[in-house]
């Protein structure tokens, strides 16, 4: 046969094995990259959810007590450990319409792991997977009120000058907890 030599079966097997090892390494690298992309996406979604919840709370707290007619609108209509209701006379008629955006509430549900925004009679979940959701009420000196189980009475609600929302979303297998705290000064009632 003129000195030509072919490839032996052993050489073919070794070549195939090396090719498979290279393919396995590339597959593992792609899998790691895919997990990192999924983790970054989950983290970004949790961060966005927490930030949107804080921004909505801040918006409603800042307009609480808006009273263009001087009718004496109550800023904080209800103040509990896990719920707060804001009032604002947005249409200037001297009244707060409880079935409209003039009355906005936030409710933390530990059982459902949810923070909800309640506008009038419509409840909208702002954040699911909530592990910590706390409300704090502060007076003019910055001292926090001790909130009884039934919530603050009218006299204490009138003394509230700032509110704080502490929010933490439950960590998943792909990312750690996402936490936000916001302190919002209320509109002057005097």
């Amino acid at each position: 046969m003129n000195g030509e030599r072919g490839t032996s079966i052993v050489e073919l097997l070794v070549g195939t094995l090396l090719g498979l090892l290279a393919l396995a390494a590339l597959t593992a690298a792609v899998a790691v990259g895919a997990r990192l992309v999924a983790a970054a996406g989950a983290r970004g979604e949790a961060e966005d959810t927490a930030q949107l919840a804080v921004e909505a709370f801040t918006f409603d707290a800042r307009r609480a007590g808006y009273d263009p007619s001087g009718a004496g609108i109550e800023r904080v209509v209800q103040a509990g450990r896990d719920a707060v209701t804001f009032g604002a006379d947005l249409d200037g008629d001297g009244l707060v319409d409880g079935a409209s955006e003039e009355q906005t509430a936030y409710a933390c549900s530990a059982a459902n792991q949810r923070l909800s925004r309640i506008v009038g009679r419509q409840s909208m979940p702002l954040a699911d997977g909530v592990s910590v959701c706390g409300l704090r009420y502060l007076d003019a000196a910055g001292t926090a009120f001790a909130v009884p189980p039934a919530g603050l009475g009218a006299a204490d609600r009138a003394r509230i000058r700032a509110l704080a929302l502490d929010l933490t979303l439950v960590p998943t297998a792909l990312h750690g907890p996402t936490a936000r705290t916001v302190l919002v000064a209320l509109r002057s009632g005097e």
Side-chain angles (χ1 to χ4, degrees):
M1 292 216 122
N2 300 347
E4 291 183 26
R5 183 172 174 259
T7 307
S8 72
I9 189 82
V10 173
E11 292 172 326
L12 285 173
L13 288 174
V14 169
T16 303
L17 179 64
L18 289 175
L20 287 174
L21 287 175
L23 184 62
L26 287 172
T27 302
V30 168
V32 167
R35 280 194 302 274
L36 288 174
V37 167
R43 179 69 181 195
E45 184 177 342
E47 292 286 340
D48 286 349
T49 298
Q51 188 61 34
L52 288 171
V54 165
E55 287 178 12
F57 179 82
T58 301
F59 175 78
D60 288 327
R62 285 187 175 155
R63 72 177 183 178
Y66 178 69
D67 188 7
S69 65
I73 300 298
E74 190 175 14
R75 294 175 297 201
V76 180
V77 178
Q78 184 265 336
R81 292 178 179 171
D82 59 358
V84 62
T85 303
F86 301 117
D89 181 18
L90 302 178
D91 60 10
D93 66 356
L95 302 170
V96 173
D97 180 6
S100 74
E101 197 172 354
E102 290 185 330
Q103 184 166 302
T104 307
Y106 287 81
C108 300
S109 173
N112 296 328
Q113 294 186 326
R114 174 176 290 159
L115 171 65
S116 296
R117 180 177 186 246
I118 303 153
V119 177
R121 298 189 196 333
Q122 181 181 4
S123 177
M124 298 165 284
L126 278 182
D128 284 322
V130 174
S131 63
V132 174
C133 184
L135 294 163
R136 291 178 284 134
Y137 308 96
L138 304 143
D139 63 14
T143 304
F145 288 92
V147 181
L152 294 176
D156 284 337
R157 288 194 315 265
R159 293 180 31 236
I160 296 173
R161 293 297 175 263
L163 291 101
L165 171 66
D166 301 307
L167 180 67
T168 302
L169 301 182
V170 176
T172 68
L174 297 175
H175 67 86
T178 298
R180 293 283 189 285
T181 296
V182 63
L183 177 64
V184 183
L186 292 179
R187 173 183 303 277
S188 176
E190 291 118 23

